[in-house]
Amino acid sequence: VRHSIHEGLAGQDCHNDKTTVPHAEAKAGFSVGSEGCRSCHEQESADYQWHGRAASGSNADLPRCSSCHGSHDVLPSKVVRSRTHPSNLAATCGTCHENLDITSKYDILINTPVQTYNSSVHGRATKGGVYLAATCSDCHSTGGSAHRILGPGDRASSINHFNIPDTCGKCHKGVEGDYNEGIHGRRAAQGETDVPVCTNCHGEHGIISPSDPRSPVSRSRVAEATCSPCHESTVLNEKYGLPAGRLATFVDSYHGLKSKAGDTQV
């Protein structure tokens, strides 16, 4: 416990069954120490009712307090060596989310999210010391609590389809306003599930800068890679009465030809 944030606490402050023999068995998803965490961290305990799609305490694979924060070596999140410091948080989450045994067992279909994040504009910024860049908890925390992580199917979740503009807008406020005023934002506010939100165009964990030619929203790729999957969709065009063939006419136009030739100003 020395040098940890809990330096000065006695063992029984956390292991509150120490005087009972035999010790109480750990509940599913919680260690004895986790039960002790609740005695001080009441709000965090109240927030930690779900982790993704699973209810807290529903199975032994769910992260415990010590899974994310450590056990006897808990450090404040602002300390660089802390497991929950922005520079280390992706690796902490990756303990489970990069574990194929766990992701396969619970049918988590997103492949290597942490590895992908590390190569993104957010991940590279964090590794470079820009600790204001988005990390796992910035996007997945609901209501500002890193202990309240809800699955995307929950209407209250920060990564629910209709909440994503608000989540991204915590950092990208000007862009969020532009989106909300545009046709996509107005339709999303009406509950239309067909309209794109931030992640449909920019990606999720692997977002790269629009100035990077590999980006789906770079000038050379945006028409073909990002706009056309929706605007060339027969189903959507028929549903909303939109004309088809606009990608082909753009590609054959002066602007399309110049874009294909590598002109980033057209």
Side-chain angles (χ1 to χ4, degrees):
V1 179
R2 287 187 62 194
H3 307 301
S4 82
I5 197 171
H6 294 136
E7 185 173 7
L9 292 180
Q12 197 171 338
D13 291 325
C14 299
H15 299 278
N16 45 27
D17 75 328
K18 185 179 178 182
T19 58
T20 64
V21 180
H23 295 326
E25 291 186 14
K27 297 179 181 178
F30 296 103
S31 65
V32 174
S34 295
E35 294 293 340
C37 297
R38 286 177 169 74
S39 60
C40 292
H41 302 284
E42 294 180 1
Q43 186 58 56
E44 289 78 5
S45 174
D47 290 342
Y48 189 53
Q49 299 302 311
W50 289 82
H51 188 84
R53 301 190 302 258
S56 174
S58 62
N59 68 68
D61 288 325
L62 278 175
R64 306 165 182 173
C65 306
S66 58
S67 303
C68 301
H69 293 277
S71 53
H72 299 101
D73 58 345
V74 179
L75 296 172
S77 296
K78 293 182 179 180
V79 175
V80 175
R81 291 187 294 114
S82 169
R83 300 184 191 191
T84 54
H85 184 269
S87 62
N88 300 322
L89 189 57
T92 297
C93 296
T95 303
C96 292
H97 288 277
E98 294 279 322
N99 184 330
L100 288 177
D101 291 334
I102 291 178
T103 56
S104 299
K105 181 177 179 179
Y106 296 103
D107 201 25
I108 300 172
L109 300 179
I110 297 179
N111 192 32
T112 61
V114 174
Q115 180 180 330
T116 304
Y117 166 81
N118 286 335
S119 66
S120 75
V121 67
H122 295 136
R124 293 200 308 273
T126 300
K127 286 296 184 184
V130 183
Y131 300 140
L132 293 177
T135 60
C136 311
S137 60
D138 291 311
C139 298
H140 290 272
S141 300
T142 299
S145 172
H147 298 90
R148 190 171 182 232
I149 297 176
L150 305 176
D154 191 312
R155 186 62 182 86
S157 171
S158 59
I159 57 168
N160 178 271
H161 180 80
F162 295 109
N163 295 334
I164 286 176
D166 288 337
T167 297
C168 297
K170 289 188 297 184
C171 294
H172 303 284
K173 292 189 179 298
V175 178
E176 178 199 15
D178 291 342
Y179 172 83
N180 288 333
E181 292 175 5
I183 186 67
H184 295 143
R186 298 202 309 273
R187 291 293 179 265
Q190 294 173 354
E192 290 285 355
T193 57
D194 294 326
V195 298
V197 292
C198 315
T199 50
N200 293 111
C201 299
H202 293 273
E204 296 175 341
H205 299 96
I207 297 171
I208 53 180
S209 170
S211 62
D212 189 319
R214 298 172 300 160
S215 170
V217 294
S218 65
R219 283 185 168 272
S220 60
R221 296 193 65 208
V222 65
E224 202 162 351
T226 300
C227 300
S228 65
C230 290
H231 288 278
E232 289 297 294
S233 165
T234 301
V235 172
L236 293 181
N237 286 337
E238 288 181 355
K239 179 177 179 179
Y240 295 106
L242 300 174
R246 281 175 293 181
L247 176 64
T249 57
F250 171 77
V251 169
D252 291 337
S253 73
Y254 171 82
H255 295 136
L257 293 170
K258 289 286 286 182
S259 180
K260 280 290 186 183
D263 191 328
T264 59
Q265 302 302 317
V266 67

